[in-house]
């Protein structure tokens, strides 16, 4: 499971996530799968619905259940079986690469942060040691950066 030893030929792993419901009962949800051809994946778990589980191979296991313990289960199965399984929709692997997602969130954070200091010209107090950048200049930079990132996520390398 460390990625150093491949799955046996024709096998892969179903990835399950478990978080107990309000009664403390284990609720397992299929997130997706990993194989030798796709040895890793990032699954979103923030949108999983509590109490809505799926069929899983871990029901017979005698695991202690505590309402605050999350578990991850990997079930090694035939590739044909993996292809027939349907993961929960909210756990879909993100189609946006992590760099683009990080950059977008960084842009949003910077714009929100800078905008929180916006003052009208009447509210400004003269201070010769401070420089002021008009909010519309920051907004224009933000929009241009977003446009360029959408067109070519690696534009900054050129």
């Amino acid at each position: 499971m460390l990625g150093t030893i491949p799955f046996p030929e024709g096998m892969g792993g179903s990835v399950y996530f478990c978080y107990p419901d309000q009664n403390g009962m284990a609720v397992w949800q299929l997130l997706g799968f990993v194989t030798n051809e796709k040895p890793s994946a990032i699954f979103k778990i923030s949108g999983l619905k509590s109490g809505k589980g799926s069929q899983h191979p871990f029901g017979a296991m005698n695991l202690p259940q505590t309402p605050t313990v999350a578990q991850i289960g990997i079930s090694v199965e035939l590739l044909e079986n993996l292809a027939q399984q349907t993961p929960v929709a909210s756990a879909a692997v993100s189609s946006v690469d992590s760099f683009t997602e990080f950059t977008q969130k960084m842009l949003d954070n910077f714009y929100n942060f800078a905008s929180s200091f916006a003052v009208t010209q009447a509210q400004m107090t003269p201070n010769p040691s401070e420089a002021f950048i008009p909010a519309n200049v920051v907004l224009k930079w933000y929009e241009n950066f977003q446009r360029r990132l959408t067109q070519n996520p690696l534009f900054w390398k050129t």
Side-chain angles (χ1 to χ4, degrees):
M1 303 289 30
L2 299 175
T4 56
I5 300 172
F7 285 106
E9 189 66 33
M11 304 291 280
S14 295
V15 180
Y16 290 87
F17 178 78
C18 175
Y19 192 81
D21 64 11
Q22 54 268 40
N23 299 321
M25 298 302 297
V27 178
W28 290 93
Q29 298 181 33
L30 176 64
L31 301 179
F33 60 90
V34 291
T35 64
N36 291 336
E37 290 74 34
K38 184 184 145 226
S40 68
I42 298 173
F43 302 105
K44 289 180 127 185
I45 61 169
S46 61
L48 295 179
K49 302 285 187 242
S50 178
K52 296 194 179 195
S54 61
Q55 194 170 12
H56 59 83
F58 308 111
M61 295 179 72
N62 189 11
L63 298 172
Q65 295 300 319
T66 309
T68 58
V69 175
Q71 300 174 62
I72 297 193
I74 309 291
S75 174
V76 178
E77 303 177 29
L78 292 171
L79 292 176
E80 297 86 48
N81 294 349
L82 295 179
Q84 297 172 13
Q85 297 176 356
T86 305
V88 291
S90 58
V93 177
S94 177
S95 61
V96 178
D97 71 73
S98 59
F99 173 76
T100 302
E101 187 175 0
F102 166 75
T103 305
Q104 185 63 48
K105 296 217 184 271
M106 182 191 64
L107 280 171
D108 292 343
N109 183 279
F110 171 72
Y111 180 74
N112 290 336
F113 178 77
S115 297
S116 72
F117 292 98
V119 294
T120 64
Q121 200 165 13
Q123 295 170 317
M124 293 174 68
T125 53
N127 185 345
S129 65
E130 287 186 10
F132 289 92
I133 300 170
N136 65 335
V137 171
V138 174
L139 179 60
K140 185 176 180 177
W141 170 83
Y142 172 80
E143 290 169 346
N144 286 338
F145 200 97
Q146 270 191 320
R147 178 182 45 77
R148 292 177 74 192
L149 186 64
T150 302
Q151 291 171 348
N152 177 9
L154 301 176
F155 80 90
W156 54 274
K157 286 188 170 186
T158 57

